[in-house]
Amino acid sequence: MSNQLTGRRIVVTGGASGMGAGLVRSLPSLGARVVSLDINAGPGTEIAGAAGVPFVQCDVAREASVEAAFGRAADILGGLDVLIHAAGISPSGAAESTDLALWNKVMAINATGTYLTNTAAFAYLRDHGGRIINFCSAAGIAGLPGKAIYSASKGAVAAWTRTAAAEWARYGITVNAIAPAIWTPMYDNTRSEMTPEQLARHDARLAESIPLGGRLGDVDTDLVPVLAFLAGAGSKFMTGQIFPVDGGSLAMR
């Protein structure tokens, strides 16, 4: 598996934190040439530098920023083969108390950001094909109480992914998405804010809802191998799919 992605030119969005950062750290060891994109230049530069890859600042909700960042990334890489679009936000809030400003912000980053990054990548992939891998969520498939706006935005990602896959197949571009349930530093912070009683209830729910192990997965052992496969040659006959990477919590059909 060490040379699984040799020669693949990959852009990873959301590279300054969480799963995106994990991919920036891991994919070069599989032979990929990676450029990391994120709006947060400080941690983005630090993480990319430690991984030995370039960093380009990018606000995925702004068209001009996306176009400039992808142009810079394509110049660095000499083209593009794969987009892994991991950037996104996940605020909480009940449906009845949804604030319009928050709705617009989440939709701009999660839904519009998917559209902007995917179409930017398309411009570099249409002549030779390639892979686009979006980050969806179980929330966008089954809904998630307490995260109404986030769920809606990820529902848009799912619908976009399936439609773009059908339209762009003639160019040899596959468009898939993953629905991950992966342990990240942000999740560590969430756990640290819980009382012992809340944490016990939370862990009991995970044990019941995740058949494989009863807890969130690991970036390196559970997420990276899936993304490496979807970014590689072996996935060329798979498109328009949403792949849960969640220990069996979401049964897709």
Side-chain angles (χ1 to χ4, degrees):
M1 184 173 166
S2 61
N3 62 352
Q4 184 175 350
L5 296 176
T6 297
R8 286 286 200 200
R9 300 166 295 182
I10 301 178
V11 164
V12 177
T13 71
S17 62
M19 289 177 276
L23 292 167
V24 168
R25 294 185 182 104
S26 298
L27 294 179
S29 68
L30 303 179
R33 297 176 56 208
V34 175
V35 172
S36 173
L37 272 55
D38 201 286
I39 193 171
N40 296 309
T45 301
E46 182 179 352
I47 290 166
V53 305
F55 173 81
V56 177
Q57 189 172 27
C58 177
D59 179 351
V60 299
R62 293 180 54 243
E63 184 176 17
S65 180
V66 171
E67 290 182 354
F70 272 74
R72 176 63 179 145
D75 285 344
I76 292 169
L77 296 171
L80 182 66
D81 299 305
V82 180
L83 165 63
I84 300 176
H85 178 48
I89 59 173
S90 178
S92 299
E96 70 273 14
S97 58
T98 292
D99 175 80
L100 180 59
L102 181 60
W103 171 279
N104 289 336
K105 178 180 179 180
V106 175
M107 286 296 178
I109 294 171
N110 291 358
T112 303
T114 298
Y115 156 72
L116 290 175
T117 58
N118 283 202
T119 53
F122 173 80
Y124 296 97
L125 299 177
R126 64 177 298 165
D127 291 336
H128 61 83
R131 308 275 182 270
I132 294 175
I133 306 161
N134 293 318
F135 273 49
C136 190
S137 170
I141 306 301
L144 182 61
K147 285 187 177 287
I149 313 176
Y150 175 72
S151 298
S153 71
K154 290 300 184 176
V157 172
W160 166 269
T161 295
R162 290 168 172 148
T163 304
E167 293 188 359
W168 295 349
R170 65 182 181 271
Y171 301 102
I173 301 170
T174 66
V175 188
N176 292 296
I178 64 164
I182 300 296
W183 200 300
T184 65
M186 185 180 297
Y187 177 60
D188 278 323
N189 292 337
T190 298
R191 291 179 65 86
S192 72
E193 295 169 355
M194 296 180 184
T195 67
E197 294 78 14
Q198 290 172 329
L199 189 59
R201 289 194 298 269
H202 174 78
D203 285 344
R205 286 195 298 269
L206 289 184
E208 182 177 350
S209 64
I210 301 178
L212 289 174
R215 55 178 280 153
L216 300 186
D218 177 78
V219 168
D220 293 327
T221 61
D222 299 319
L223 181 71
V224 170
V226 176
L227 269 296
F229 171 73
L230 291 176
S235 65
K236 67 181 179 62
F237 202 53
M238 304 164 68
T239 197
Q241 306 302 311
I242 298 168
F243 299 100
V245 187
D246 65 359
S249 179
L250 178 66
M252 288 294 298
R253 57 187 179 273

